[in-house]
Amino acid sequence: MIRIQEILDKVGEYHNQEQADLVRKAYVYAAAAHSGQVRLSGEPYLSHPLAVAYTLASMRMDGHTVAAGFLHDTVEDTKVSSADIRENFGEDVAALVDGVTKISLLSFDSKEAQQAENIRKMLLAMNEDLRVIFVKLADRLHNMRTLEFMKPEKQRRISQETMDIYASLANRLGLHRIKLELEDLSFRFLHPDSYGHIAGWIERHKATDTEYIADVIRILNDVLQRNGVKAQIKGRIKQIYSIFRKMNAQNLSLDEMHDIIAFRAIVPEMKDCYAVLGLVHATWKPVPGRFKDYISMPKANMYQSLHTTVIGPKGERMEIQIRSEEMDNLAENGVASHWLYKEGGRIKARDVKEFNWLREMLDWTRLEGNSQEFMRSLRFGLFKDEIYVFTPRGKVLELPENATPVDFAYQVHTEIGDHCAGGKVNGRLVPLSTPLKSGDTVEIIAAPNHHPSRDWLKFVKTAKARTRIQNFTRTEEKERSISLGREMLEKQGRRLGINVQKAVKDGSLQKCALDLNFKDIDTLLSAVGYARITPRRALHLLLPKIEETPKEMEKADSKHPAEGSGKPAGGGKADSVVIKGIDDMLVRFAKCCNPVPGDAIIGYISRGRGVAVHTADCPTVSQMEPERLLSVYWEGGGETQPFPARIRILCKNERGVLAKIAGVMETSGVNIDSGSFRSGIDGRTELEMLIEVADIAQLLLTMDRLHKVDSVLEVSRTTASAGGEGR
């Protein structure tokens, strides 16, 4: 277990006695608060705050941050309150502790909702004081180092969250060392077999690799000394997760991997970086396309370095990074280190242009109320691989790998994204879904009458673009559903002798909405437009009390099953389907897949047209919004109306074959609604037929009988061409 003196020694290296005294006081307070508590490992609980504080001291954090490292679990896990922390350690330390304290006292519908709110709270706290994330990262790092004492299910959940969120945040902040360790620790629990395989391979080759590293360092030192260039050369085997990613990306085995050893040359000043680069390329042949200049074009986290891959001794590929001492310090301690040393305390992200990404992230997280969408957008926002593209005026923008012109448009300005009509890449018109590459010059064609399309969600890569598109389409759909609902309600009102406009003015429709558990008239109208309730049900409280009984009303509703949208699409009986947990909803059958009784089915709330019922394996379903899918099932049996089904028949082009097929249909009691056929040059004919059947059993029996016809080669059930049918 780490000792307090080790932490005080580190703090004393760069802070005054007053700061060290604050850290000592926090240690004593935490020791008393956690007295008697133990971790799952069996160690005293105090071992955890000691490890967190040590990590923060090693990162050269100020005394307030190190003190918060000692106290970060006291409010959540002991009887200490936020007010106690504020009284004993001041506002700064109390705010840091509060920023990393989980929202554990509130109730949530799911673990994911709780996770989303905890992370949302942390991001908001980061915006006020970036030191919050340093405490949280140090906390998560030690928890990951001791994760083996938890149950496997919890290990995987925490590791996935760490990989998706915390390792990505460390990367965004330029905390390279912490990012790599978090990735390796997460990978160990998420893919233990792959981790063990790579770790074992590295161990078996350790002696050879160590010798190779020593040889390269010796050669480089000799070359640099002969040319009067001072540099510190380091070599290491790449991290396990980094090797795994490279193996997957290049589809290679471990024995086929070459550039798993990386070298770093650290020089006094920037000008020396390019001198070293020239000497490296003069000594070993560079690999084309593997040079990156992050000095002239720094990453968003201010990371600067030259990266090159060369063919080194024994024909082995090796990566060499070249940077100045200042750049190396920034790479190790992160983007906030400069501001920490400059300000000596709280850093407000909103005051520093280097943290624009955090402010943008907060903007779109405020728009996301749904926890699933929030987490999905957050993962989009914390991308790891970047590309650099140019505006027509030469400004450089950083985007995630495979970003598109739509992502670029939203990065330039929200208004440009909202009205994006087309894009040019390097002077040529391209589809909006075109993946961009580093070095591309992108120009956006905007038009006032163009608006975001839901189809853009299939290819955008940035959280900002995704959130803006979703927000626009939701607003647009709500307005459309309100307008449609009003139209349907007024139409039904005329039929029932109710003046809907008057009911709005005198407040009776508002009362009706409240009685039906809707907060206002617009919400009621939206529900009618989305077909969540029928217009008649919405107005039934305004009907004269003696007009009819509820049973009579339901019977009347059934006479108009698709009020405002026509009869159910595709034939069949809509009332033969039950929607789990919901009553009185308009139902129709999708034409794309033509479900019949006995099929596994799923429902989709379509825009103002009720619930569209699809077969569960309909290709269209995979493109739908998951939150609008409903569980549905067939009810009863003995339907008298037929259901349409599409079949494809491949047969020999022979005389009388159509008569044979028609004969099978008649024998099976199946009606042919429509059909088409195409004859090929190979003597075969393909027939597409829309037939009417009672259920899946009759359909399968008919197909089986068709199979037995001599001239028939294949029989299969088909769907209509995709394109949103039934949505």
Side-chain angles (χ1 to χ4, degrees):
M1 191 165 75
I2 295 166
R3 294 176 301 168
I4 179 60
Q5 194 56 49
E6 296 175 68
I7 298 170
L8 292 173
D9 288 345
K10 282 195 172 291
V11 172
E13 291 173 6
Y14 59 92
H15 279 307
N16 57 33
Q17 189 58 44
E18 184 181 351
Q19 296 271 299
D21 289 342
L22 179 67
V23 170
R24 185 189 296 276
K25 179 182 177 182
Y27 162 72
V28 173
Y29 196 91
H34 291 294
S35 178
Q37 295 180 341
V38 293
R39 305 198 81 207
L40 291 177
S41 62
E43 288 185 298
Y45 195 92
L46 189 63
S47 63
H48 175 60
L50 277 164
V52 172
Y54 183 82
T55 297
L56 293 168
S58 300
M59 294 164 68
R60 301 176 71 83
M61 293 290 123
D62 64 292
H64 290 94
T65 309
V66 179
F70 273 119
L71 302 166
H72 75 278
D73 275 340
T74 53
V75 174
E76 187 177 342
D77 295 332
T78 75
K79 295 180 180 180
V80 173
S81 68
S82 296
D84 295 331
I85 300 294
R86 190 172 291 104
E87 182 182 342
N88 286 280
F89 297 95
E91 186 60 42
D92 256 20
V93 175
L96 291 172
V97 172
D98 183 66
V100 295
T101 299
K102 295 176 185 174
I103 310 174
S104 55
L105 300 179
L106 301 178
S107 59
F108 296 92
D109 294 334
S110 65
K111 275 279 184 186
E112 188 168 41
Q114 185 174 23
Q115 178 200 38
E117 287 313 307
N118 281 323
I119 291 173
R120 199 193 302 263
K121 177 190 174 187
M122 183 186 70
L123 291 174
L124 290 168
M126 277 176 64
N127 192 46
E128 290 300 314
D129 192 341
L130 263 174
R131 295 175 297 175
V132 166
I133 191 56
F134 289 93
V135 178
K136 187 61 184 176
L137 286 173
D139 171 47
R140 180 54 63 106
L141 183 62
H142 185 250
N143 282 333
M144 289 300 298
R145 287 171 178 170
T146 55
L147 198 61
E148 70 267 23
F149 298 102
M150 289 191 171
K151 293 179 180 178
E153 184 181 332
K154 201 165 186 180
Q155 288 175 348
R156 288 189 292 271
R157 179 176 59 80
I158 293 173
S159 295
Q160 192 64 61
E161 180 186 69
T162 301
M163 183 74 83
D164 291 344
I165 307 298
Y166 294 101
S168 298
L169 275 171
N171 179 57
R172 273 295 203 168
L173 292 164
L175 299 167
H176 189 63
R177 179 178 55 80
I178 290 178
K179 173 234 179 192
L180 291 177
E181 188 174 355
L182 287 175
E183 285 180 339
D184 265 13
L185 289 167
S186 301
F187 179 58
R188 175 187 168 192
F189 293 104
L190 291 172
H191 302 281
D193 292 341
S194 298
Y195 181 92
H197 178 60
I198 297 172
W201 188 91
I202 290 173
E203 186 62 33
R204 290 193 298 276
H205 293 76
K206 188 175 182 179
T208 305
D209 290 339
T210 302
E211 184 181 338
Y212 185 86
I213 290 170
D215 286 344
V216 171
I217 291 175
R218 178 179 49 77
I219 294 169
L220 262 179
N221 277 328
D222 184 52
V223 170
L224 296 176
Q225 284 173 8
R226 280 191 280 109
N227 287 274
V229 179
K230 292 182 179 179
Q232 179 187 4
I233 311 297
K234 299 177 181 179
R236 63 173 178 85
I237 299 170
K238 290 184 177 179
Q239 300 293 117
I240 292 175
Y241 180 65
S242 177
I243 293 172
F244 173 78
R245 285 184 63 195
K246 191 177 288 286
M247 285 172 61
N248 273 4
Q250 299 177 6
N251 196 25
L252 298 173
S253 68
L254 273 170
D255 291 326
E256 293 171 324
M257 293 281 290
H258 294 290
D259 52 343
I260 65 169
I261 297 177
F263 294 89
R264 184 178 302 160
I266 302 169
V267 296
E269 297 182 40
M270 183 196 296
K271 61 182 178 62
D272 301 319
C273 295
Y274 293 95
V276 172
L277 178 70
L279 292 170
V280 167
H281 284 179
T283 306
W284 295 299
K285 185 178 180 180
V287 176
R290 294 298 301 274
F291 169 67
K292 294 177 181 176
D293 186 347
Y294 293 119
I295 293 179
S296 60
M297 199 177 293
K299 291 189 176 185
N301 58 18
M302 293 175 63
Y303 174 86
Q304 289 184 290
S305 184
L306 299 176
H307 290 196
T308 186
T309 301
V310 297
I311 307 298
K314 301 179 183 179
E316 292 288 338
R317 286 190 180 196
M318 58 186 193
E319 183 184 65
I320 300 178
Q321 300 173 359
I322 307 165
R323 61 182 70 153
S324 69
E325 291 172 359
E326 184 180 352
M327 295 172 196
D328 189 59
N329 175 58
L330 186 70
E332 290 300 311
N333 296 312
V335 65
S337 59
H338 167 73
W339 299 100
L340 277 172
Y341 305 143
K342 181 179 178 182
E343 303 296 333
R346 176 178 294 198
I347 312 169
K348 291 191 175 183
R350 60 174 179 265
D351 297 333
V352 184
K353 68 175 183 178
E354 282 78 10
F355 302 121
N356 277 336
W357 61 269
L358 178 58
R359 293 194 293 280
E360 288 179 3
M361 194 180 296
L362 285 168
D363 286 342
W364 52 254
T365 56
R366 290 188 182 103
L367 295 173
E368 290 294 0
N370 179 282
S371 59
Q372 286 184 330
E373 281 300 326
F374 169 75
M375 294 304 294
R376 187 183 303 169
S377 296
L378 186 61
R379 292 181 178 101
F380 259 75
L382 294 172
F383 52 79
K384 299 173 185 177
D385 299 315
E386 308 90 10
I387 59 170
Y388 298 89
V389 294
F390 297 89
T391 68
R393 295 185 178 182
K395 182 181 177 182
V396 180
L397 293 182
E398 181 185 298
L399 291 169
E401 198 172 28
N402 295 320
T404 64
V406 175
D407 295 295
F408 176 90
Y410 276 105
Q411 195 74 1
V412 173
H413 198 280
T414 300
E415 283 295 315
I416 294 176
D418 283 346
H419 299 289
C420 177
K424 289 183 179 181
V425 176
N426 302 323
R428 296 178 59 186
L429 276 170
V430 298
L432 289 176
S433 58
T434 304
L436 302 175
K437 301 186 295 293
S438 276
D440 284 343
T441 298
V442 186
E443 181 181 353
I444 296 300
I445 302 167
N449 60 334
H450 272 75
H451 300 289
S453 164
R454 182 171 290 281
D455 290 337
W456 292 359
L457 294 172
K458 297 174 184 175
F459 54 75
V460 293
K461 299 298 179 186
T462 58
K464 183 177 182 180
R466 184 180 184 83
T467 305
R468 291 295 307 182
I469 295 164
Q470 286 177 327
N471 194 49
F472 178 86
T473 53
R474 283 172 189 160
T475 303
E476 183 186 45
E477 285 175 14
K478 185 176 181 182
E479 289 172 355
R480 190 189 304 139
S481 67
I482 290 172
S483 176
L484 179 60
R486 181 177 288 108
E487 180 184 330
M488 293 168 69
L489 218 57
E490 288 176 351
K491 183 176 180 180
Q492 181 69 19
R494 287 192 294 271
R495 183 178 290 116
L496 298 173
I498 297 172
N499 187 327
V500 174
Q501 292 289 351
K502 182 181 177 183
V504 171
K505 291 178 182 177
D506 65 21
S508 55
L509 190 62
Q510 171 71 16
K511 184 178 183 302
C512 183
L514 295 173
D515 289 343
L516 290 169
N517 295 319
F518 295 105
K519 65 178 182 180
D520 53 33
I521 293 175
D522 277 354
T523 309
L524 172 64
L525 294 175
S526 179
V528 173
Y530 265 122
R532 293 193 174 99
I533 65 168
T534 61
R536 188 178 186 85
R537 178 63 60 86
L539 294 173
H540 84 277
L541 293 177
L542 300 179
L543 292 171
K545 299 297 181 184
I546 58 171
E547 182 183 307
E548 57 190 3
T549 66
K551 283 189 176 180
E552 288 171 332
M553 188 178 70
E554 287 176 15
K555 187 176 180 182
D557 269 343
S558 69
K559 292 177 182 177
H560 308 280
E563 198 74 65
S565 60
K567 61 185 277 188
K573 289 175 63 182
D575 57 1
S576 62
V577 170
V578 174
I579 303 169
K580 189 175 181 181
I582 301 176
D583 296 324
D584 192 35
M585 207 167 188
L586 310 182
V587 175
R588 63 196 183 84
F589 296 102
K591 288 182 178 180
C592 54
C593 54
N594 295 114
V596 301
D599 279 330
I601 53 176
I602 192 165
Y604 182 77
I605 302 175
S606 55
R607 298 162 192 166
R609 299 169 65 197
V611 173
V613 178
H614 295 256
T615 58
D617 58 356
C618 176
T620 310
V621 173
S622 63
Q623 303 170 20
M624 294 176 174
E625 301 164 66
E627 63 269 20
R628 293 170 70 176
L629 293 173
L630 296 171
S631 177
V632 298
Y633 57 90
W634 299 101
E635 180 181 53
E639 285 80 6
T640 56
Q641 285 186 314
F643 290 81
R646 295 179 188 275
I647 60 171
R648 171 184 171 272
I649 304 171
L650 184 65
C651 59
K652 297 176 184 177
N653 191 353
E654 296 176 346
R655 182 180 299 175
V657 67
L658 286 177
K660 292 178 184 178
I661 291 172
V664 170
M665 297 291 187
E666 183 180 4
T667 304
S668 302
V670 171
N671 180 53
I672 301 174
D673 182 88
S674 60
S676 63
F677 65 89
R678 293 185 299 275
S679 295
I681 59 174
D682 58 355
R684 297 180 178 188
T685 295
E686 184 179 294
L687 289 85
E688 295 269 355
M689 288 186 173
L690 184 67
I691 61 176
E692 294 178 335
V693 297
D695 53 30
I696 190 68
Q698 187 181 26
L699 175 61
L700 294 176
L701 177 63
T702 304
M703 291 172 65
D704 185 55
R705 287 174 175 172
L706 287 169
H707 267 297
K708 294 175 181 177
V709 175
D710 292 340
S711 303
V712 172
L713 303 172
E714 292 178 16
V715 182
S716 58
R717 187 177 177 187
T718 63
T719 59
S721 58
E725 168 59 41
R727 296 175 67 180

